[in-house]
Amino acid sequence: MEELKLIMDGKRLDGRGFDELRPIKIEVGVLKRADGSCYLEMGRNKVMAAVYGPREVHPKHLADPSKAIVRYRYNMAPFSVEERKRPGPDRRSVEISKVSREALETIIMTEMFPRSAVDIFVEILQADAGSRTACLNAASVALVDAGIPMKGIVTSVAVAKVDGQIVLDPMKEEDNYGEADMPFAFVIRNGKIESIALLQMDGNMTRDEVKQGLELAKKGAMEIYQLQREAIMKKYRTEEEEE
Ligand code: UDP
């Protein structure tokens, strides 16, 4: 079989350059019954995030007298992927939920809400690689929409090694046939990247490639951050004008 070429004449399969994100669309406050919500598309990923809280903890024994607990559920719809996904949690979604929750816990001011819970649900309607990053970006905006006090915003993007080249925001074909994949989430505070809240890696990269990937991810994250900001401002500016 002929080897699949992922990069030709300096362009990727979808025509992007190495340092380009997929198109992003963000809509804030789309669910009436959630305290905060966000619909987000990142390339062919389509995800919906809903935030509830701070609210009473059920079951009660999980309550922490010193701070709010944060719960995060990453869930793929059975129809979101090519081969039907069996409904319900699996090892992969439990792991993604855990690392995503830990990333968001670093920015939520949980100490302000003892004995309560902040629940974040993210449903993937369509997946195309980088779904965990799309979900984190949506969840972060939904948290802002819910008015949860936060120390910053989380912005997430992956980088990959494809045909020996480090590229930003890999899509499905690059994720499947590439050599490595490295998702990041950053805490952005006052318009600046302050820390790394999530870092995973699948495959192998050299030390230099990791460094290069980090710089590329930072650049991508700043672009996503601007779009998150604009989406939030758009909703709240319109509401203010209407009042
Ligand atoms: N995927 C799939 N079935 C699954 C899990 C994943 O088809 O049960 C696809 C899906 O398109 C996903 C991609 O594989 O976006 C890459 O999955 P990975 O585990 O790397 O997570 P992601 O990149 O989506 O955060």
Side-chain angles (χ1 to χ4, degrees):
M1 203 179 89
E2 202 184 325
E3 205 187 323
L4 176 68
K5 278 209 67 74
L6 295 167
I7 295 179
M8 271 191 291
D9 304 327
K11 293 268 178 234
R12 296 154 73 180
L13 288 181
D14 57 0
R16 277 185 293 161
F18 304 145
D19 63 348
E20 282 181 71
L21 293 168
R22 290 173 286 185
I24 295 179
K25 182 178 152 189
I26 309 178
E27 251 180 88
V28 187
V30 284
L31 300 175
K32 208 170 147 199
R33 271 180 226 105
D35 294 315
S37 58
C38 174
Y39 171 73
L40 186 142
E41 292 180 6
M42 205 168 161
R44 287 174 292 197
N45 290 293
K46 298 184 178 191
V47 308
M48 179 74 88
V51 168
Y52 298 82
R55 65 179 180 181
E56 213 174 301
V57 184
H58 292 289
K60 277 204 161 67
H61 69 89
L62 291 179
D64 184 331
S66 65
K67 61 180 188 337
I69 60 163
V70 177
R71 293 183 285 201
Y72 187 101
R73 192 185 71 182
Y74 166 102
N75 185 53
M76 275 185 151
F79 52 81
S80 66
V81 283
E82 216 165 278
E83 194 174 322
R84 180 181 180 275
K85 152 92 177 61
R86 203 164 158 255
D90 53 16
R91 278 179 68 114
R92 176 178 171 274
S93 68
V94 170
E95 175 211 308
I96 294 178
S97 299
K98 176 184 183 283
V99 293
S100 304
R101 184 198 73 225
E102 287 170 351
L104 291 171
E105 259 176 352
T106 62
I107 55 162
I108 300 173
M109 296 172 126
T110 50
E111 62 288 352
M112 288 178 72
F113 305 101
R115 295 182 194 286
S116 57
V118 174
D119 289 316
I120 306 158
F121 299 93
V122 198
E123 298 291 325
I124 293 120
L125 308 174
Q126 188 170 289
D128 190 74
S131 64
R132 75 195 66 199
T133 67
C135 288
L136 269 172
N137 292 330
S140 202
V141 171
L143 281 164
V144 175
D145 186 40
I148 310 271
M150 296 200 288
K151 296 173 199 149
I153 193 164
V154 160
T155 299
S156 179
V157 71
V159 294
K161 185 176 169 185
V162 170
D163 290 353
Q165 180 70 43
I166 305 300
V167 301
L168 183 63
D169 191 21
M171 57 173 170
K172 187 83 169 73
E173 293 80 353
E174 294 172 329
D175 184 285
N176 279 12
Y177 304 107
E179 294 100 83
D181 171 30
M182 184 164 57
F184 281 95
F186 300 100
V187 172
I188 301 188
R189 197 171 179 176
N190 300 326
K192 287 203 181 73
I193 292 179
E194 193 181 69
S195 55
I196 297 175
L198 176 147
L199 169 54
Q200 297 182 284
M201 175 139 90
D202 189 6
N204 291 314
M205 283 191 197
T206 65
R207 187 185 283 252
D208 275 350
E209 286 166 348
V210 169
K211 272 192 195 158
Q212 205 187 324
L214 171 63
E215 289 315 308
L216 200 52
K218 281 184 176 172
K219 174 195 158 310
M222 286 311 293
E223 289 174 25
I224 297 170
Y225 165 71
Q226 291 305 338
L227 299 173
Q228 288 174 308
R229 246 181 83 96
E230 274 169 31
I232 293 162
M233 304 261 274
K234 190 174 160 211
K235 177 182 173 197
Y236 287 97
R237 210 180 271 142
T238 324
E239 272 183 10
E240 249 171 45
E241 282 162 10
E242 279 167 6
E243 272 167 21

